[in-house]
Amino acid sequence: MSSQKKVRVRFAPSPTGGLHLGGVRTALFNYLFAKQHQGDFILRIEDTDQTRFVPGAEEYIHECLAWCGISPDESPVTPGAYGPYRQSERKPSYRQYAEQLINDGYAYYAFDTAEELEEQRKLFANFRYSHENRLNLRNSLSLPEEETQRLLSEGHPHTIRIKMPEEETVSFDDMIRGRVTFETGLVDDKVLLKADGMPTYHLAVVVDDHAMKISHIFRGEEWLPSAPVHLLLWEYLGWAAEMPEWAHLPLILKPDGNGKLSKRDGDRLGFPVYAMNWADPKSGELTKGFRELGFLPEAFVNMLALLGWNDGTDQEIFTMEELVEKFSVERISKSGAKFDYEKAKWFNHEWIKNTTNDQLLPEIDKLLKDNGVLTADPALIDAVLSAVKERLTFLSDFWQQASFFFVHPERYDVEAIKPKWNTDKTAFFEDIVHIFEEQSEWKAAVLEPLFKDKIAQSGMKMGELMLPYRIMLVGGKFGPDVFLVTELLGQEEVISRMKKALPLFL
Ligand code: GLU
């Protein structure tokens, strides 16, 4: 790592739709690296492809980073000294570099129309614009100089393409993969500046990373094939000495390890791939996100950090602070990381367990209100949350696990018990009701021994009586310790539920 340079990294998404979890992981790794080195994390919006502009997509990116706690030091909405932070707003700066490359012999004007290129693709199945055929196509390398000048002065639409060397080897040291080498002759002459004057990704990414003094780049492995073009551009523009260090992050794979995880896999296998809900403005299609499905941001971030990285120990639960401290490029794996939704849910479960009630209560309050519980004692909500927390995979499970504390059970699961019911059992519970009515101290620690002594005296088995008791209070065979439920529901409510449910067993 170039030691003196101030660390400046960037996350450079194209605002084309919902943010894939792989994109958020890229942002996270950039962020962790920056914060570990007291550096800056920059958000740059790569929106030069106007045909792919999607309203709302940039706002979504800001909201998503904010939700994850990955806050940029510089961004379009919090600009620093290296703006603008949207590539489209940087448009005027790119042409000069493309022209400089032409003057230096590293690029050329291409006048081929879309139809002409289509024709070539029809003729040659694997058509690529490259050193092999560029002299047969319509560009400033194949046309006489006067013809090029005429076309330019008459304003004929044209692109500017990089002139990839026919036979050169370029290499760089990837922070994760080590030495990576490419044969330039195998790479096509990428378009650098489009006919509308907008740069393509290849030119813009190099010009902007240079202008914004980016020191390190963490980006997805899918960008590795573009690296030779970028390497040459850094060199051709005279900036080789300032080139950032690169790390190409391993792909996030489908659960079976067969290829890159896509949104479609999520739809097919029933799990989210986007960080947050995304409503496609054109089709209206809604894609569910981790946030709306009930993931805590801490759990989402923790899960992402471990997709392709670990700290070398068995530790799996990390706070953002710990991640900043422990993150290390050396421990990022080279091979793809399989996405495991069950594991993602485990992270959420662990994080719910480890998060204080105070932090979870606003969401729980909202959930109760959404389910029509408008007034509930805050002390009861707090105690119920403590009682069921261990059982929640998602916060939304709270309602299913704990609604009986706030509303009467809708149904009682008595069918399996009815056939084994007898008058002794009815008498037993009638006695319990009397004992409870006279009870002055309503505490689990008092009620439990009382109840159990009574069972012992009856000569009946524990299970035969405990299960019906639970069903009387809860409605079903679930929930926390039944005496804790007894205490929390309160004397009056317990007695009333017992009286109401008892006849159902007969
Ligand atoms: N705009 C690219 C993307 O959408 C950024 C690639 C890079 O980081 O160089 O992922």
Side-chain angles (χ1 to χ4, degrees), residues 314-331:
D314 289 340
Q315 183 174 346
E316 293 190 281
I317 300 298
F318 294 91
T319 62
M320 187 70 101
E321 290 71 33
E322 283 175 302
L323 289 173
V324 168
E325 190 194 313
K326 298 197 171 158
F327 181 71
S328 60
V329 183
E330 298 73 40
R331 297 211 57 86

Side-chain angles (χ1 to χ4, degrees), residues 486-499:
T486 308
E487 177 180 322
L488 294 177
L489 280 176
Q491 189 164 16
E492 208 180 307
E493 183 66 20
V494 167
I495 293 166
S496 126
R497 285 193 190 187
M498 288 182 76
K499 285 184 176 164

Side-chain angles (χ1 to χ4, degrees), residues 10 12-14 44 46 201 205 209 217-219 222-223 230:
R10 87 302 191 272
S14 298
R44 182 175 71 224
E46 302 213 324
Y201 159 67
V205 79
D209 286 341
I217 294 173
F218 291 81
R219 63 181 182 186
E222 62 272 28
W223 300 105
H230 303 170

Side-chain angles (χ1 to χ4, degrees), residues 340 352 393 462:
D340 177 351
I352 290 178
T393 297
M462 191 71 83

